[in-house]
Amino acid sequence: MARQVYLDYAATTFTDPRVVEAMNPYFTRSFGNPSSIYSFSEENRRAIAEARKQVASVLGSAPEEIYFTGSGTEADNWALQGIASKNRSKGNHIITTKIEHHAILHTGQFLQKNGYDVTFLDVDAEGRVSLETLKKAVTDKTILVSVMFANNEIGTIEPIAEIGAFCRERGIYFHTDAVQATAHVPIDVKAMNIDLLSLSAHKFYGPKGVGALYIKKGVKIDNFMHGGAQERGRRASTENVAGIVGLGAAIELASSRMASASERISRLRDMLIDGVMKAVPHAKLNGAPSGERLPNNANFSFIGIEGETLLLDLDRAGIYGSTGSACSSGSLDPSHVLMAIGLSHELAHGSLRLTLGEETTEEDIQYVLSVLPGIVKERREMSPLWEDYLKSFDKGR
Amino acid sequence: MYSEKVLDHFQNPRNVGEIENPDGVGQAGNPKCGDIMKIYLRVEDDVIRDIKFKTFGCASAIASSSMATELVKGKTVEEAWNLTNRAVAEALDGLPPVKMHCSVLAEEAIHAAINDYRRKKGLPVEKEESHDELVEHHLHGDEEEK
């Protein structure tokens, strides 16, 4: 079989076989509904409690501050809508950023339509939110600040501890969407003054369809899922026992190897970045420098070519990546993140995100470096935009 | 997502390149929507003897350019003018609905190149519909017919 190189770990990871093994008993053998009081369900209740402890120990919270959800998206929706409605009497202003995941962005827009005032903060050219910009946006009506821990497209890590300290001092709730960051970079909700945090299992080798929201004790928030009394009355729905067990096992596993994995993966990532920047003329790296971005994230723009074209050519070579180009999304607008960091439409359409993971090897990176520059060259040769770019570039010199 | 024909024309595009001192050149699209198509014509005795293209865009934009050039090569200028985006899409065994505008772009670029040729020859120029008009005309018009 031809070589296959999966470089889209930020989209989703495989489920670690050890995680699958931990989950297995809860499908066929220990299948009882945790809400049933008989002893048959006791094992399930114990397993959920264990998973809650596993998550809490990674985030530095108490177990009872962890609430399992159906996804990272649900956790984001809950955090924003639950805080907004519960604290309406205190104010109607929410601050977030222009580079959030759609789960936050579209929830923010939904709240705007329902009478809330939502500020979407600008970021700098590397995708960073500044504390100064945030301070200027705060009013006496501000009830919530939501800033993602690390960006899913360009990998930039935000100044979470600084923002947390400021929000705590001002008495404003602080939520962070840590879907890309959890179990990839160190998080401590106490030290960072985080009030709410969203995470998702399938970004750290856990199963799809399960996430969690950390809610600091005492935070006033409405429920999002209404129904039964699961999750101590905070989140209705029969527990996804196997999924929750998988999330717990995955977060523990990923956190235990975080330091060594991050060192190995960031070394490979830097090799990829250096190689691409050397081999592809006029390539641009999007996002922050190595130390200030997720260890597994590389995001490039190649002027003159369109992202979907690049993805399909890479696909033929067995390489799987993603792009912020409009054509891949079904809309006509390129990625809001790439536009927010000030890229031109041309550069945003020509972006390529490669995200590394557990099974990425040095040979994989060498293979990408042997294939990618040729593809870019070939597609540029048939691009009128590249021709125009070269002419204006030569003129500019 | 794509038909085999689209993938074939995307992977092995026909008539890529430029023509030196062309009889007509036309361009359509803009970087904002992520597609730019440029068409070069060589016309002899009112027949398109040679046609080349350069395209910045997604797979369906490249495949549409390639197919459109094949369809008009050897045809009279009049016949080429009457090539519709639908004919291009059909020849490719269809395009996904969100990509139909790529085939419109091919029609638009060919019109622009033919009018350029006519202008150079001192021939009367026909009205070119804008991209939005063409999209409205061909795509949304079709929807209403259904």
Side-chain angles (χ1 to χ4, degrees):
Chain A
M1 202 172 117
R3 194 174 187 103
Q4 287 199 316
V5 178
Y6 180 81
L7 289 174
D8 205 14
Y9 283 87
T12 192
T13 61
F14 59 89
T15 308
D16 191 297
R18 287 164 287 185
V19 171
V20 175
E21 206 180 311
M23 292 168 69
N24 266 335
Y26 299 94
F27 289 109
T28 50
R29 191 165 51 75
S30 193
F31 62 86
N33 190 321
S35 299
S36 305
I37 56 162
Y38 37 66
S39 57
F40 179 58
S41 288
E42 187 52 38
E43 161 60 11
N44 290 2
R45 288 191 284 273
R46 192 207 54 77
I48 292 172
E50 174 61 21
R52 210 181 301 282
K53 272 190 219 156
Q54 287 167 317
V55 177
S57 116
V58 169
L59 299 182
S61 75
E64 56 274 17
E65 293 173 316
I66 304 300
Y67 298 88
F68 294 111
T69 65
S71 64
T73 292
E74 186 198 321
D76 282 344
N77 271 269
W78 183 7
L80 263 62
Q81 297 188 49
I83 291 288
S85 66
K86 186 77 178 181
N87 298 278
R88 181 72 210 233
S89 60
K90 279 197 257 164
N92 71 336
H93 184 222
I94 293 167
I95 301 175
T96 182
T97 80
K98 286 189 177 161
I99 61 162
E100 297 297 313
H101 186 274
H102 285 128
I104 294 290
L105 223 50
H106 290 169
T107 305
Q109 288 159 0
F110 170 77
L111 288 170
Q112 270 181 323
K113 271 191 259 163
N114 286 281
Y116 289 87
D117 184 10
V118 184
T119 304
F120 297 92
L121 297 177
D122 285 320
V123 295
D124 68 15
E126 291 177 349
R128 226 175 277 103
V129 178
S130 88
L131 189 59
E132 289 315 304
T133 320
L134 171 63
K135 280 181 181 171
K136 278 182 207 147
V138 168
T139 71
D140 56 1
K141 294 263 191 289
T142 309
I143 49 175
L144 176 69
V145 169
S146 178
V147 175
M148 68 199 323
F149 206 104
N151 184 265
N152 49 313
E153 292 188 36
I154 55 176
T156 303
I157 298 172
E158 300 299 338
I160 294 302
E162 274 180 49
I163 296 170
F166 168 73
C167 290
R168 185 61 52 87
E169 188 194 303
R170 293 290 301 262
I172 301 167
Y173 288 142
F174 175 42
H175 167 256
T176 184
D177 171 351
V179 165
Q180 292 291 335
T182 304
H184 292 278
V185 294
I187 296 178
D188 183 331
V189 291
K190 280 215 176 67
M192 294 171 166
N193 293 302
I194 297 167
D195 296 311
L196 303 112
L197 177 146
S198 308
L199 61 89
S200 176
H202 76 104
K203 307 292 190 184
F204 47 78
Y205 309 93
K208 293 166 183 65
V210 60
L213 180 64
Y214 151 79
I215 306 174
K216 186 184 179 329
K217 196 163 179 249
V219 166
K220 293 185 171 50
I221 181 168
D222 271 336
N223 287 353
F224 180 64
M225 296 284 272
H226 303 279
Q230 291 89 355
E231 297 293 280
R232 296 197 323 287
R234 301 296 282 275
R235 196 267 184 185
S237 226
T238 296
E239 295 87 341
N240 172 7
V241 183
I244 290 168
V245 167
L247 190 158
I251 203 169
E252 188 172 276
L253 202 60
S255 299
S256 68
R257 66 172 178 231
M258 186 162 63
S260 60
S262 136
E263 194 190 318
R264 187 188 79 85
I265 289 169
S266 61
R267 190 181 58 80
L268 291 177
R269 191 269 320 270
D270 291 345
M271 180 188 289
L272 174 67
I273 292 177
D274 292 347
V276 168
M277 298 307 282
K278 273 194 198 109
V280 180
H282 303 275
K284 183 184 182 311
L285 176 70
N286 298 318
S290 281
E292 298 161 54
R293 66 194 296 152
L294 289 171
N296 73 343
N297 175 288
N299 189 311
F300 307 97
S301 279
F302 305 114
I303 185 80
I305 48 176
E306 194 278 331
E308 189 206 71
T309 289
L310 196 53
L311 286 197
L312 289 172
D313 283 340
L314 287 170
D315 185 1
R316 282 174 81 201
I319 299 166
Y320 311 125
S322 77
T323 177
S325 137
C327 272
S328 68
S329 69
S331 82
L332 285 182
D333 294 316
S335 143
H336 64 280
V337 176
L338 299 177
M339 297 310 286
I341 61 171
L343 294 198
S344 62
H345 278 91
E346 291 92 322
L347 280 170
H349 280 299
S351 77
L352 173 69
R353 180 187 74 176
L354 298 175
T355 45
L356 291 66
E358 275 308 297
E359 291 199 334
T360 310
T361 63
E362 192 169 329
E363 289 70 39
D364 290 339
I365 301 303
Q366 303 290 7
Y367 175 64
V368 173
L369 291 174
S370 74
V371 168
L372 178 65
I375 291 174
V376 173
K377 186 167 182 288
E378 207 173 294
R379 289 296 175 184
R380 274 176 169 173
E381 276 166 7
M382 58 182 291
S383 164
L385 196 61
W386 174 240
E387 187 186 310
D388 292 349
Y389 171 79
L390 280 186
K391 271 181 210 152
S392 65
F393 184 78
D394 287 344
K395 242 188 239 167
R397 292 223 278 193
Chain B
M1 174 177 181
Y2 287 126
S3 71
E4 279 186 28
K5 273 217 180 125
V6 172
L7 289 176
D8 176 36
H9 278 264
F10 165 66
Q11 287 157 5
N12 313 291
R14 284 58 146 180
N15 306 311
V16 175
E18 291 169 42
I19 293 174
E20 263 186 62
N21 305 314
D23 298 312
V25 189
Q27 187 168 310
N30 66 65
K32 208 178 162 203
C33 65
D35 293 303
I36 301 174
M37 219 173 267
K38 198 169 179 181
I39 298 273
Y40 299 82
L41 298 177
R42 160 90 57 243
V43 183
E44 282 165 24
D45 305 327
D46 207 39
V47 169
I48 294 171
R49 293 291 173 201
D50 198 9
I51 180 165
K52 295 270 191 236
F53 80 89
K54 276 194 160 187
T55 291
F56 160 77
C58 60
S60 43
I62 291 170
S64 296
S65 316
S66 170
M67 181 54 86
T69 57
E70 282 223 308
L71 290 174
V72 302
K73 201 170 176 177
K75 297 276 163 61
T76 65
V77 171
E78 185 63 27
E79 284 167 336
W81 181 272
N82 290 328
L83 175 79
T84 63
N85 83 296
R86 185 186 266 197
V88 175
E90 271 170 16
L92 287 168
D93 290 340
L95 286 170
V98 290
K99 304 285 190 171
M100 279 304 284
H101 74 102
C102 297
S103 60
V104 175
L105 218 54
E107 179 181 334
E108 214 179 332
I110 288 175
H111 283 178
I114 290 177
N115 269 344
D116 183 52
Y117 158 75
R118 286 171 175 154
R119 243 173 252 121
K120 283 178 181 162
K121 282 276 179 184
L123 297 169
V125 169
E126 284 189 46
K127 185 186 174 289
E128 287 170 42
E129 287 181 287
S130 72
H131 183 68
D132 289 344
E133 283 166 349
L134 277 173
V135 168
E136 185 62 33
H137 188 167
H138 290 314
L139 302 185
H140 302 169
D142 289 354
E143 279 166 20
E144 278 162 25
E145 279 165 29
K146 279 176 195 163

